[in-house]
Amino acid sequence: MKTGLVLEGGGLRGVFTGGVIDCLLENNINFDYVVGVSAGSCNTFAYVGKAHKYIRHCMIQKKGADSFYGVRQMIDSHKYVDLDKVFDEYSIKYGFDYDKFIKNPIEWEMVVSNIRTGKAEYMHTDNIAKANLIGKASCSMPALTEPREIDGELYLDGGICDSIPAQRALDKGCDKLVIVLTRKKGNYSHMNGALRELFKRIYGDYPLFVDALLRRNELYREQVALSEKLEEEGKAIIIRPTMQEVGRLESDEEELLLSYYHGYTKAKEYIPKIRNWTE
């Protein structure tokens, strides 16, 4: 039996997933395959690199000057969200072990969205610099960050084209999945008319990507439905918040910590069943 771990994104909602990851690491839970998208890609780094509390340190900054997003960041770096700070500075500051990450035999992928084709792509590499680049591309939010170039193509947030890559895990041969979602059951995002027009204006040269952006909410509902169907069939465990999730760019330290611990305790409930699958 091949087991898979599927990690949704959601900006700072990924701190919930960080709590899940730390619980899995503490209990020495080993999956055969992991796929992460957007903030879920950051959590993929933490899980594959066995970096306990790494996401907690990265996403919960006690000083505004240390944060990778917000008005202060805009003043300092002219970027509202500075992903170079996350992947280049935080990795050094918090001692991320890239050697352990690269040498881990687990099969992993990160999801990116190709802005030319409007399609999701699933990337893996044994090169540290390219792994960081893929992570940055997967996390690059439309309108807030610039596209990242990889092998001559431009990429943005993987969550645009595949927010919950459960189907990808099935296609990779996984029989049982643990799917970590960052929204409460029944909670969905909505794109207002102003945002639709903004995306059309910014990405007008990439009509297929615009189509993907405008269809994202519909696709997300379909992917949640697939995840819940797999759970009903006994093929998946869904770990998601049961309390109100934090915002995509939440800045309240107490709220972020609460979300982190919520993820940890929710994961703990499922450890016996997950262990039965993975062992």
Side-chain angles (χ1 to χ4, degrees), residues 8-11 13 37-39 113 118 138-143 156-164 182-183 188-191 195-196 199 208-224 248:
E8 184 191 0
R13 293 201 304 272
V37 54
S38 195
S113 295
S138 185
C139 295
S140 292
M141 296 185 224
L156 279 170
D157 192 332
I160 300 302
C161 298
D162 193 353
S163 296
I164 309 170
T182 58
R183 290 184 183 275
Y188 302 98
S189 62
H190 302 280
M191 187 182 299
L195 192 56
R196 286 173 174 266
F199 285 150
L208 296 177
F209 183 65
V210 171
D211 288 345
L213 278 165
L214 300 184
R215 189 177 175 272
R216 182 186 185 187
N217 294 345
E218 178 187 345
L219 177 62
Y220 184 79
R221 288 175 179 268
E222 292 173 1
Q223 293 180 321
V224 169
R248 182 177 290 272

Side-chain angles (χ1 to χ4, degrees), residues 114 124 179:
N114 185 315
H124 171 87
I179 303 171

Side-chain angles (χ1 to χ4, degrees), residues 163-260:
S163 296
I164 309 170
Q167 185 60 55
R168 175 63 176 181
L170 295 176
D171 293 343
K172 294 293 286 184
C174 293
D175 304 289
K176 300 284 189 178
L177 303 179
V178 171
I179 303 171
V180 184
L181 304 182
T182 58
R183 290 184 183 275
K184 283 178 63 178
K185 185 177 177 63
N187 276 14
Y188 302 98
S189 62
H190 302 280
M191 187 182 299
N192 59 40
L195 192 56
R196 286 173 174 266
E197 291 306 313
L198 177 63
F199 285 150
K200 289 178 183 178
R201 191 175 305 120
I202 294 175
Y203 303 109
D205 292 336
Y206 304 98
L208 296 177
F209 183 65
V210 171
D211 288 345
L213 278 165
L214 300 184
R215 189 177 175 272
R216 182 186 185 187
N217 294 345
E218 178 187 345
L219 177 62
Y220 184 79
R221 288 175 179 268
E222 292 173 1
Q223 293 180 321
V224 169
L226 171 62
S227 301
E228 292 175 346
K229 179 175 181 289
L230 291 171
E231 185 178 49
E232 290 170 4
E233 294 172 348
K235 298 176 182 177
I237 293 170
I238 298 177
I239 302 176
R240 58 182 162 192
T242 51
M243 57 181 275
Q244 183 60 43
E245 65 265 18
V246 298
R248 182 177 290 272
L249 291 172
E250 180 63 63
S251 58
D252 187 295
E253 180 187 349
E254 186 175 334
E255 290 296 321
L256 290 169
L257 272 172
L258 200 60
S259 180
Y260 167 82

Side-chain angles (χ1 to χ4, degrees), residues 12 46 57 62 65 67 70 77 87 99-100 104 126-127 140-141 143 159 164 170 185 237 244 277:
L12 272 294
H57 292 317
K62 297 183 182 299
S67 180
S77 69
F87 288 90
D99 190 55
K100 186 182 291 185
N104 191 333
D126 292 327
N127 179 278
S140 292
M141 296 185 224
I164 309 170
L170 295 176
K185 185 177 177 63
I237 293 170
Q244 183 60 43
W277 283 3

Side-chain angles (χ1 to χ4, degrees), residues 27-85:
N27 285 278
N28 197 31
I29 299 295
N30 297 300
F31 293 90
D32 300 303
Y33 170 80
V34 58
V35 57
V37 54
S38 195
S41 291
C42 294
N43 279 291
T44 298
F45 272 96
Y47 179 75
V48 177
K50 297 186 182 298
H52 187 248
K53 293 188 178 179
Y54 182 66
I55 295 301
R56 173 178 171 176
H57 292 317
C58 289
M59 290 193 174
I60 306 176
Q61 297 292 324
K62 297 183 182 299
K63 298 179 182 178
D66 294 332
S67 180
F68 67 93
Y69 64 99
V71 176
R72 176 62 182 270
Q73 188 55 233
M74 177 75 84
I75 295 171
D76 292 344
S77 69
H78 307 292
K79 302 174 185 176
Y80 193 81
V81 178
D82 187 355
L83 294 173
D84 293 326
K85 194 169 190 175

